[in-house]
Amino acid sequence: MKLATTLLALALGLAAGTAAQAEPIKIGLQPWLGYGPLWIAEKQGFFKEQGVDVQLVNFGWDADLAVALASGNIDVTSIATNGVILQLNNGIDLKAFMLMDGSTTADAVLANKAVNSITELKGKKVAYEVGATSDLLINYALKVNGMSLKDIEAVPINASDAGLALIAGRVDVAVTYEPYISAALSEGPDFKILFSAGEKPGLISDVLAGPADFVAAHTAELQGIIRAWDQAVTYLRENPDAGGQIIADAVGSPMEEFKTAFAGVQLFDIKENLAELDGPFQATVVEIGGLMQEAKPDEIKIVPAGDAILDLTALKGLAQ
């Protein structure tokens, strides 16, 4: 395991060293609503307007994103805050340069009709993606109910398929995010939400991040990405139907489900980024790291301060 981590770190270091020659900048992402402004920026030509050549690359698993970043197949990753902390503990020096979103009701623990509370999960099959936001959410839900992962039968599965496993009856509980929450609930009254990220505001958030060397060497390009993101957030706020349709199409969600699902997502423009990353986010990073360490002390040895996982050079340069 130590050898694999060392090789991954070496590969990431090599990728960062060669990324300066790569065109376009490849951003890895998954079908999550909070990444929606990236698809809007692509569709509306905002990246080109801001003078940066960007290619969006879609993935299904967090682990696949990590491997693609380490191998140099992508330059920047859309990643949950807890994912950056996990990579730091794996010896991978990622730096987040922008906050994308925070989830309230858009990440949740779902159950079939036989389960009515978190305390009833003992011995039940629970589907969730290990190392992803679903992992953090189920750990937190169990903790506040006096339980831990030892009390459940974990079924590792990517978040986009967890809801399907619940609907098919292969598991009793699924931890996933929108639009898969709404898709499962639309199957009828046999499925319900037991717990959502709204129980702990700030617990689930996503950032854009890259290898520390890459982020340090590409300030101008990252500023173009940030400006394009800001344009896309503004576009969505001013054109909710047109912008929403772009995102719904990208994640494969019917528009009517998208509108309900997106109510549980908060997006951050440049101004909001500056306010959040200089303030509340710092404490949130420490709290998330502490939760991760408590759940998996053998894996999480480092609980970083917010500044340890951030490089705000590009973002703060836009405020001047």
Side-chain angles (χ1 to χ4, degrees), residues 11 27 32 44-45 61 68 77 84 110 116 135 143 153 174 186 201 242 244 246 255 258 263 266 268 312:
I27 301 177
W32 159 239
Q44 297 301 114
W61 289 76
T77 182
V84 180
L110 307 177
N116 296 297
D135 192 335
K143 177 190 174 184
E153 182 180 342
S186 69
I246 292 172
M255 189 58 178
F258 166 82
Q266 178 184 6
F268 296 87
L312 302 183

Side-chain angles (χ1 to χ4, degrees), residues 22-27 41-42 45-55 76 214 218-229 231:
E23 287 293 344
I25 291 177
K26 296 180 180 179
I27 301 177
E42 179 184 56
F46 295 152
F47 290 124
K48 290 182 179 179
E49 282 186 29
Q50 296 301 335
V52 60
D53 188 8
V54 167
Q55 178 183 345
V76 171
F214 180 88
H218 292 79
T219 299
E221 293 93 334
L222 298 187
Q223 286 181 331
I225 291 171
I226 295 168
R227 286 194 299 265
W229 170 273
Q231 273 189 281

Side-chain angles (χ1 to χ4, degrees), residues 6-65:
T6 301
L7 291 174
L8 182 60
L10 177 60
L12 188 53
L14 291 173
T18 59
Q21 309 302 316
E23 287 293 344
I25 291 177
K26 296 180 180 179
I27 301 177
L29 72 167
Q30 293 173 286
W32 159 239
L33 301 175
Y35 302 159
L38 292 175
W39 288 299
I40 292 176
E42 179 184 56
K43 181 82 170 179
Q44 297 301 114
F46 295 152
F47 290 124
K48 290 182 179 179
E49 282 186 29
Q50 296 301 335
V52 60
D53 188 8
V54 167
Q55 178 183 345
L56 302 182
V57 184
N58 295 300
F59 294 87
W61 289 76
D62 278 22
D64 292 337
L65 266 170

Side-chain angles (χ1 to χ4, degrees), residues 151-174:
D151 294 307
I152 66 172
E153 182 180 342
V155 180
I157 188 172
N158 64 318
S160 59
D161 291 332
L164 294 176
L166 176 65
I167 293 169
R170 299 198 302 272
V171 297
D172 306 293
V173 174

Side-chain angles (χ1 to χ4, degrees), residues 62 79-90 129-140 143 149 203-205 284-304 309:
D62 278 22
I79 186 171
T81 302
N82 61 293
V84 180
I85 296 172
L86 177 62
Q87 292 303 318
L88 177 66
N89 278 271
N90 287 336
E129 187 170 346
V130 176
T133 54
S134 297
D135 192 335
L136 179 63
L137 183 59
I138 188 61
N139 270 288
Y140 180 75
K143 177 190 174 184
L149 291 178
L203 180 67
I204 306 295
S205 61
T284 298
V285 169
V286 175
E287 188 169 11
I288 291 172
L291 289 169
M292 295 172 67
Q293 186 177 64
E294 186 174 339
K296 299 178 180 179
D298 293 336
E299 296 180 25
I300 307 300
K301 303 292 187 181
I302 303 170
V303 176
I309 65 169

Side-chain angles (χ1 to χ4, degrees), residues 109 116-122 138 141-142 145 147 194-195:
V109 180
N116 296 297
S117 68
I118 295 295
T119 55
E120 293 179 19
L121 295 190
K122 191 173 182 64
I138 188 61
L142 290 168
N145 283 278
M147 301 169 67
L194 290 185
F195 195 93

